[in-house]
mmCIF file of all heavy atoms in Angstrom:
data_model
loop_
_atom_site.group_PDB
_atom_site.id
_atom_site.type_symbol
_atom_site.label_atom_id
_atom_site.label_comp_id
_atom_site.label_asym_id
_atom_site.label_seq_id
_atom_site.Cartn_x
_atom_site.Cartn_y
_atom_site.Cartn_z
ATOM 1 N N GLU A 36 45.570 85.111 117.476
ATOM 2 C CA GLU A 36 46.010 86.482 117.702
ATOM 3 C C GLU A 36 44.854 87.476 117.600
ATOM 4 O O GLU A 36 44.700 88.348 118.456
ATOM 5 C CB GLU A 36 47.095 86.840 116.680
ATOM 6 C CG GLU A 36 48.379 86.040 116.855
ATOM 7 C CD GLU A 36 49.379 86.301 115.745
ATOM 8 O OE1 GLU A 36 49.020 86.129 114.565
ATOM 9 O OE2 GLU A 36 50.522 86.675 116.063
ATOM 10 N N GLU A 37 44.045 87.348 116.559
ATOM 11 C CA GLU A 37 42.989 88.345 116.322
ATOM 12 C C GLU A 37 41.917 88.303 117.403
ATOM 13 O O GLU A 37 41.356 89.339 117.778
ATOM 14 C CB GLU A 37 42.357 88.135 114.938
ATOM 15 C CG GLU A 37 43.334 88.218 113.784
ATOM 16 C CD GLU A 37 44.076 89.542 113.720
ATOM 17 O OE1 GLU A 37 43.507 90.572 114.139
ATOM 18 O OE2 GLU A 37 45.227 89.556 113.251
ATOM 19 N N ALA A 38 41.596 87.119 117.916
ATOM 20 C CA ALA A 38 40.570 86.988 118.952
ATOM 21 C C ALA A 38 41.154 87.041 120.357
ATOM 22 O O ALA A 38 40.420 86.908 121.339
ATOM 23 C CB ALA A 38 39.787 85.691 118.767
ATOM 24 N N ARG A 39 42.479 87.194 120.447
ATOM 25 C CA ARG A 39 43.176 87.230 121.739
ATOM 26 C C ARG A 39 42.827 85.991 122.575
ATOM 27 O O ARG A 39 42.440 86.084 123.733
ATOM 28 C CB ARG A 39 42.843 88.510 122.500
ATOM 29 C CG ARG A 39 43.259 89.775 121.758
ATOM 30 C CD ARG A 39 43.135 91.014 122.611
ATOM 31 N NE ARG A 39 44.093 91.010 123.712
ATOM 32 C CZ ARG A 39 44.179 91.976 124.625
ATOM 33 N NH1 ARG A 39 43.349 92.998 124.576
ATOM 34 N NH2 ARG A 39 45.074 91.903 125.588
ATOM 35 N N CYS A 40 43.002 84.844 121.970
ATOM 36 C CA CYS A 40 42.688 83.587 122.640
ATOM 37 C C CYS A 40 43.597 83.384 123.849
ATOM 38 O O CYS A 40 44.818 83.574 123.759
ATOM 39 C CB CYS A 40 42.850 82.422 121.663
ATOM 40 S SG CYS A 40 42.535 80.811 122.420
ATOM 41 N N PRO A 41 43.046 82.975 124.986
ATOM 42 C CA PRO A 41 43.880 82.779 126.178
ATOM 43 C C PRO A 41 44.847 81.610 126.052
ATOM 44 O O PRO A 41 45.794 81.504 126.829
ATOM 45 C CB PRO A 41 42.847 82.514 127.286
ATOM 46 C CG PRO A 41 41.653 81.973 126.571
ATOM 47 C CD PRO A 41 41.614 82.702 125.260
ATOM 48 N N ASN A 42 44.624 80.729 125.063
ATOM 49 C CA ASN A 42 45.484 79.565 124.904
ATOM 50 C C ASN A 42 46.599 79.772 123.887
ATOM 51 O O ASN A 42 47.274 78.813 123.516
ATOM 52 C CB ASN A 42 44.636 78.360 124.469
ATOM 53 C CG ASN A 42 43.588 78.004 125.496
ATOM 54 O OD1 ASN A 42 43.884 77.845 126.667
ATOM 55 N ND2 ASN A 42 42.343 77.902 125.064
ATOM 56 N N ILE A 43 46.808 81.006 123.457
ATOM 57 C CA ILE A 43 47.810 81.242 122.433
ATOM 58 C C ILE A 43 49.198 80.786 122.887
ATOM 59 O O ILE A 43 49.974 80.249 122.090
ATOM 60 C CB ILE A 43 47.825 82.735 122.012
ATOM 61 C CG1 ILE A 43 48.770 82.949 120.821
ATOM 62 C CG2 ILE A 43 48.180 83.645 123.183
ATOM 63 C CD1 ILE A 43 48.687 84.329 120.214
ATOM 64 N N GLY A 44 49.505 80.952 124.167
ATOM 65 C CA GLY A 44 50.798 80.509 124.673
ATOM 66 C C GLY A 44 50.969 79.011 124.538
ATOM 67 O O GLY A 44 52.010 78.528 124.075
ATOM 68 N N LYS A 45 49.939 78.276 124.883
ATOM 69 C CA LYS A 45 49.992 76.812 124.795
ATOM 70 C C LYS A 45 50.122 76.359 123.350
ATOM 71 O O LYS A 45 50.966 75.509 123.021
ATOM 72 C CB LYS A 45 48.745 76.198 125.434
ATOM 73 C CG LYS A 45 48.669 74.687 125.284
ATOM 74 C CD LYS A 45 47.402 74.110 125.912
ATOM 75 C CE LYS A 45 47.347 72.603 125.702
ATOM 76 N NZ LYS A 45 46.135 71.995 126.302
ATOM 77 N N CYS A 46 49.284 76.902 122.478
ATOM 78 C CA CYS A 46 49.245 76.433 121.094
ATOM 79 C C CYS A 46 50.491 76.841 120.316
ATOM 80 O O CYS A 46 51.098 76.021 119.631
ATOM 81 C CB CYS A 46 47.983 76.946 120.401
ATOM 82 S SG CYS A 46 46.458 76.265 121.107
ATOM 83 N N PHE A 47 50.889 78.111 120.415
ATOM 84 C CA PHE A 47 52.072 78.549 119.689
ATOM 85 C C PHE A 47 53.318 77.828 120.202
ATOM 86 O O PHE A 47 54.209 77.491 119.426
ATOM 87 C CB PHE A 47 52.242 80.064 119.814
ATOM 88 C CG PHE A 47 51.452 80.862 118.798
ATOM 89 C CD1 PHE A 47 50.339 80.316 118.177
ATOM 90 C CD2 PHE A 47 51.820 82.153 118.475
ATOM 91 C CE1 PHE A 47 49.603 81.037 117.244
ATOM 92 C CE2 PHE A 47 51.105 82.888 117.543
ATOM 93 C CZ PHE A 47 49.998 82.335 116.925
ATOM 94 N N SER A 48 53.382 77.587 121.505
ATOM 95 C CA SER A 48 54.535 76.876 122.068
ATOM 96 C C SER A 48 54.614 75.445 121.552
ATOM 97 O O SER A 48 55.701 74.853 121.471
ATOM 98 C CB SER A 48 54.466 76.870 123.600
ATOM 99 O OG SER A 48 54.572 78.180 124.108
ATOM 100 N N ALA A 49 53.441 74.884 121.194
ATOM 101 C CA ALA A 49 53.401 73.535 120.625
ATOM 102 C C ALA A 49 53.560 73.556 119.106
ATOM 103 O O ALA A 49 53.469 72.505 118.459
ATOM 104 C CB ALA A 49 52.082 72.859 120.998
ATOM 105 N N GLY A 50 53.767 74.744 118.537
ATOM 106 C CA GLY A 50 53.935 74.854 117.088
ATOM 107 C C GLY A 50 52.637 74.784 116.327
ATOM 108 O O GLY A 50 52.621 74.415 115.146
ATOM 109 N N GLU A 51 51.514 75.140 116.974
ATOM 110 C CA GLU A 51 50.193 75.035 116.362
ATOM 111 C C GLU A 51 49.535 76.407 116.250
ATOM 112 O O GLU A 51 49.868 77.335 117.001
ATOM 113 C CB GLU A 51 49.288 74.113 117.196
ATOM 114 C CG GLU A 51 49.854 72.707 117.367
ATOM 115 C CD GLU A 51 49.088 71.912 118.408
ATOM 116 O OE1 GLU A 51 48.244 72.497 119.112
ATOM 117 O OE2 GLU A 51 49.356 70.701 118.525
ATOM 118 N N ALA A 52 48.579 76.523 115.320
ATOM 119 C CA ALA A 52 47.823 77.764 115.156
ATOM 120 C C ALA A 52 46.537 77.457 114.404
ATOM 121 O O ALA A 52 46.452 76.464 113.671
ATOM 122 C CB ALA A 52 48.639 78.807 114.389
ATOM 123 N N THR A 53 45.525 78.299 114.601
ATOM 124 C CA THR A 53 44.263 78.176 113.871
ATOM 125 C C THR A 53 44.187 79.306 112.853
ATOM 126 O O THR A 53 44.178 80.484 113.217
ATOM 127 C CB THR A 53 43.057 78.248 114.831
ATOM 128 O OG1 THR A 53 43.102 77.117 115.716
ATOM 129 C CG2 THR A 53 41.752 78.233 114.069
ATOM 130 N N PHE A 54 44.132 78.950 111.579
ATOM 131 C CA PHE A 54 44.186 79.933 110.508
ATOM 132 C C PHE A 54 42.860 80.690 110.374
ATOM 133 O O PHE A 54 41.782 80.087 110.416
ATOM 134 C CB PHE A 54 44.512 79.249 109.180
ATOM 135 C CG PHE A 54 45.885 78.650 109.146
ATOM 136 C CD1 PHE A 54 46.071 77.301 109.395
ATOM 137 C CD2 PHE A 54 46.996 79.431 108.875
ATOM 138 C CE1 PHE A 54 47.331 76.737 109.364
ATOM 139 C CE2 PHE A 54 48.269 78.880 108.848
ATOM 140 C CZ PHE A 54 48.443 77.529 109.093
ATOM 141 N N LEU A 55 42.972 81.994 110.194
ATOM 142 C CA LEU A 55 41.816 82.860 109.976
ATOM 143 C C LEU A 55 41.885 83.349 108.528
ATOM 144 O O LEU A 55 42.701 84.217 108.195
ATOM 145 C CB LEU A 55 41.850 84.043 110.945
ATOM 146 C CG LEU A 55 40.641 84.978 110.943
ATOM 147 C CD1 LEU A 55 39.437 84.303 111.608
ATOM 148 C CD2 LEU A 55 40.968 86.285 111.669
ATOM 149 N N ILE A 56 41.039 82.777 107.670
ATOM 150 C CA ILE A 56 41.055 83.139 106.258
ATOM 151 C C ILE A 56 40.041 84.250 105.983
ATOM 152 O O ILE A 56 39.294 84.653 106.862
ATOM 153 C CB ILE A 56 40.778 81.907 105.367
ATOM 154 C CG1 ILE A 56 39.354 81.361 105.603
ATOM 155 C CG2 ILE A 56 41.815 80.830 105.608
ATOM 156 C CD1 ILE A 56 38.944 80.261 104.617
ATOM 157 N N LEU A 57 40.043 84.756 104.761
ATOM 158 C CA LEU A 57 39.081 85.768 104.318
ATOM 159 C C LEU A 57 39.247 87.107 105.040
ATOM 160 O O LEU A 57 38.278 87.841 105.256
ATOM 161 C CB LEU A 57 37.642 85.256 104.478
ATOM 162 C CG LEU A 57 37.231 84.143 103.504
ATOM 163 C CD1 LEU A 57 35.986 83.414 104.009
ATOM 164 C CD2 LEU A 57 36.983 84.711 102.122
ATOM 165 N N GLY A 58 40.475 87.410 105.455
ATOM 166 C CA GLY A 58 40.724 88.689 106.102
ATOM 167 C C GLY A 58 40.503 88.648 107.596
ATOM 168 O O GLY A 58 40.152 87.611 108.161
ATOM 169 N N LYS A 59 40.684 89.809 108.240
ATOM 170 C CA LYS A 59 40.563 89.864 109.695
ATOM 171 C C LYS A 59 39.475 90.818 110.158
ATOM 172 O O LYS A 59 39.431 91.180 111.334
ATOM 173 C CB LYS A 59 41.895 90.232 110.331
ATOM 174 C CG LYS A 59 42.478 91.565 109.886
ATOM 175 C CD LYS A 59 43.794 91.818 110.600
ATOM 176 C CE LYS A 59 44.365 93.182 110.241
ATOM 177 N NZ LYS A 59 45.617 93.449 110.972
ATOM 178 N N ASN A 60 38.588 91.225 109.260
ATOM 179 C CA ASN A 60 37.452 92.068 109.638
ATOM 180 C C ASN A 60 36.147 91.334 109.393
ATOM 181 O O ASN A 60 35.961 90.691 108.355
ATOM 182 C CB ASN A 60 37.454 93.383 108.852
ATOM 183 C CG ASN A 60 38.442 94.378 109.406
ATOM 184 O OD1 ASN A 60 38.904 94.238 110.535
ATOM 185 N ND2 ASN A 60 38.780 95.377 108.626
ATOM 186 N N CYS A 61 35.240 91.456 110.355
ATOM 187 C CA CYS A 61 33.959 90.754 110.323
ATOM 188 C C CYS A 61 32.836 91.733 109.991
ATOM 189 O O CYS A 61 32.893 92.908 110.339
ATOM 190 C CB CYS A 61 33.707 90.110 111.691
ATOM 191 S SG CYS A 61 32.234 89.066 111.760
ATOM 192 N N THR A 62 31.795 91.233 109.315
ATOM 193 C CA THR A 62 30.673 92.088 108.954
ATOM 194 C C THR A 62 29.583 92.101 110.025
ATOM 195 O O THR A 62 28.566 92.776 109.854
ATOM 196 C CB THR A 62 30.056 91.639 107.617
ATOM 197 O OG1 THR A 62 29.719 90.246 107.693
ATOM 198 C CG2 THR A 62 31.035 91.856 106.480
ATOM 199 N N ARG A 63 29.767 91.351 111.102
ATOM 200 C CA ARG A 63 28.805 91.376 112.206
ATOM 201 C C ARG A 63 29.456 91.981 113.448
ATOM 202 O O ARG A 63 30.641 92.319 113.433
ATOM 203 C CB ARG A 63 28.243 89.983 112.482
ATOM 204 C CG ARG A 63 27.462 89.438 111.287
ATOM 205 C CD ARG A 63 26.657 88.227 111.612
ATOM 206 N NE ARG A 63 26.248 87.552 110.386
ATOM 207 C CZ ARG A 63 25.705 86.349 110.335
ATOM 208 N NH1 ARG A 63 25.492 85.671 111.470
ATOM 209 N NH2 ARG A 63 25.368 85.803 109.178
ATOM 210 N N SER A 64 28.681 92.105 114.506
ATOM 211 C CA SER A 64 29.160 92.807 115.701
ATOM 212 C C SER A 64 28.878 92.010 116.970
ATOM 213 O O SER A 64 28.262 92.509 117.910
ATOM 214 C CB SER A 64 28.503 94.193 115.797
ATOM 215 O OG SER A 64 28.796 94.966 114.671
ATOM 216 N N CYS A 65 29.300 90.752 116.994
ATOM 217 C CA CYS A 65 29.128 89.943 118.199
ATOM 218 C C CYS A 65 29.902 90.590 119.346
ATOM 219 O O CYS A 65 31.082 90.925 119.196
ATOM 220 C CB CYS A 65 29.625 88.524 117.962
ATOM 221 S SG CYS A 65 28.704 87.632 116.685
ATOM 222 N N THR A 66 29.254 90.750 120.471
ATOM 223 C CA THR A 66 29.861 91.513 121.563
ATOM 224 C C THR A 66 30.967 90.757 122.290
ATOM 225 O O THR A 66 31.760 91.368 123.013
ATOM 226 C CB THR A 66 28.796 91.930 122.592
ATOM 227 O OG1 THR A 66 28.156 90.757 123.110
ATOM 228 C CG2 THR A 66 27.757 92.840 121.955
ATOM 229 N N PHE A 67 31.047 89.445 122.115
ATOM 230 C CA PHE A 67 32.054 88.659 122.833
ATOM 231 C C PHE A 67 33.387 88.610 122.091
ATOM 232 O O PHE A 67 34.396 88.204 122.659
ATOM 233 C CB PHE A 67 31.556 87.222 123.035
ATOM 234 C CG PHE A 67 31.392 86.438 121.758
ATOM 235 C CD1 PHE A 67 32.459 85.747 121.202
ATOM 236 C CD2 PHE A 67 30.170 86.403 121.104
ATOM 237 C CE1 PHE A 67 32.312 85.037 120.020
ATOM 238 C CE2 PHE A 67 30.008 85.692 119.929
ATOM 239 C CZ PHE A 67 31.077 85.007 119.387
ATOM 240 N N CYS A 68 33.406 89.019 120.831
ATOM 241 C CA CYS A 68 34.515 88.703 119.935
ATOM 242 C C CYS A 68 35.453 89.887 119.738
ATOM 243 O O CYS A 68 35.012 91.037 119.653
ATOM 244 C CB CYS A 68 33.953 88.241 118.597
ATOM 245 S SG CYS A 68 35.215 87.665 117.445
ATOM 246 N N ASN A 69 36.740 89.596 119.614
ATOM 247 C CA ASN A 69 37.740 90.638 119.416
ATOM 248 C C ASN A 69 38.186 90.764 117.959
ATOM 249 O O ASN A 69 38.996 91.617 117.630
ATOM 250 C CB ASN A 69 38.972 90.356 120.286
ATOM 251 C CG ASN A 69 39.889 91.558 120.388
ATOM 252 O OD1 ASN A 69 39.492 92.589 120.919
ATOM 253 N ND2 ASN A 69 41.105 91.436 119.885
ATOM 254 N N VAL A 70 37.651 89.900 117.067
ATOM 255 C CA VAL A 70 37.998 90.009 115.658
ATOM 256 C C VAL A 70 37.532 91.372 115.146
ATOM 257 O O VAL A 70 36.472 91.871 115.527
ATOM 258 C CB VAL A 70 37.347 88.868 114.852
ATOM 259 C CG1 VAL A 70 37.498 89.092 113.352
ATOM 260 C CG2 VAL A 70 37.988 87.534 115.243
ATOM 261 N N GLY A 71 38.328 91.993 114.274
ATOM 262 C CA GLY A 71 38.063 93.351 113.824
ATOM 263 C C GLY A 71 36.740 93.524 113.109
ATOM 264 O O GLY A 71 36.161 92.568 112.566
ATOM 265 N N ARG A 72 36.253 94.748 113.096
ATOM 266 C CA ARG A 72 35.025 95.093 112.387
ATOM 267 C C ARG A 72 35.337 96.193 111.385
ATOM 268 O O ARG A 72 36.338 96.881 111.490
ATOM 269 C CB ARG A 72 33.955 95.562 113.376
ATOM 270 C CG ARG A 72 33.529 94.433 114.311
ATOM 271 C CD ARG A 72 32.832 94.944 115.546
ATOM 272 N NE ARG A 72 32.678 93.885 116.530
ATOM 273 C CZ ARG A 72 32.438 94.066 117.804
ATOM 274 N NH1 ARG A 72 32.334 95.292 118.278
ATOM 275 N NH2 ARG A 72 32.310 93.050 118.624
ATOM 276 N N GLY A 73 34.431 96.364 110.459
ATOM 277 C CA GLY A 73 34.651 97.380 109.441
ATOM 278 C C GLY A 73 34.569 96.777 108.061
ATOM 279 O O GLY A 73 34.063 95.665 107.879
ATOM 280 N N SER A 74 35.042 97.498 107.068
ATOM 281 C CA SER A 74 34.972 97.045 105.677
ATOM 282 C C SER A 74 36.036 95.978 105.431
ATOM 283 O O SER A 74 37.231 96.269 105.468
ATOM 284 C CB SER A 74 35.178 98.218 104.732
ATOM 285 O OG SER A 74 34.165 99.189 104.912
ATOM 286 N N PRO A 75 35.620 94.739 105.170
ATOM 287 C CA PRO A 75 36.614 93.682 104.947
ATOM 288 C C PRO A 75 37.319 93.868 103.606
ATOM 289 O O PRO A 75 36.758 94.416 102.651
ATOM 290 C CB PRO A 75 35.773 92.401 104.950
ATOM 291 C CG PRO A 75 34.435 92.786 105.491
ATOM 292 C CD PRO A 75 34.249 94.219 105.141
#
């Protein structure tokens, strides 16, 4: 969800998910990524 993965329909429909631990904000600024930025 946080990275807006194009395969979310496939994975969620199969009952699967990839867990994102340690919050949803990143301390770096990779330009390809949709994960949030700011104070974690």
Side-chain angles (χ1 to χ4, degrees):
E36 294 174 305
E37 302 302 330
R39 299 189 67 181
C40 178
N42 299 309
I43 186 171
K45 175 181 178 180
C46 295
F47 275 22
S48 295
E51 302 169 351
T53 296
F54 294 98
L55 186 73
I56 65 172
L57 290 162
K59 59 179 183 178
N60 281 343
C61 186
T62 54
R63 297 192 196 169
S64 301
C65 297
T66 59
F67 66 87
C68 186
N69 194 63
V70 170
R72 295 162 191 161
S74 299

